[in-house]
Amino acid sequence: MARAERRPPRPGVMWEYDKVTFSREFSRNIVTKLLVERAEHGGWELDRVRITADGTRRVTLRRKIIRQRLTLLNL
């Protein structure tokens, strides 16, 4: 099976990352529900999931950083 390439983000796009760790006691359904809730309410999206040999899930979430531009009015 071919490994998917990670494309670099578009120029000017900045991301904020959050790393979350779930122990093996959490079922797959519980982890899914927790991540969906964070995605819906916090604007996070899934970037990477690593499952270690002991069953711990290490999840990396990301969301775009939206910068506001300063606008000056010339009166």
Side-chain angles (χ1 to χ4, degrees), residues 15-46:
W15 298 96
E16 175 183 5
Y17 291 91
D18 187 21
K19 294 184 180 183
V20 184
T21 303
F22 296 101
S23 69
R24 64 180 299 167
E25 283 83 30
F26 288 101
S27 71
R28 185 176 180 179
N29 290 335
I30 296 296
V31 171
T32 301
K33 287 178 184 178
L34 292 171
L35 293 174
V36 165
E37 188 170 319
R38 282 190 80 152
E40 289 179 351
H41 297 292
W44 294 98
E45 62 184 44
L46 189 63

Side-chain angles (χ1 to χ4, degrees), residues 47-60:
D47 184 52
R48 177 175 288 172
V49 177
R50 300 254 177 163
I51 302 176
T52 61
D54 66 350
T56 303
R57 289 178 178 90
R58 293 186 182 157
V59 179
T60 304

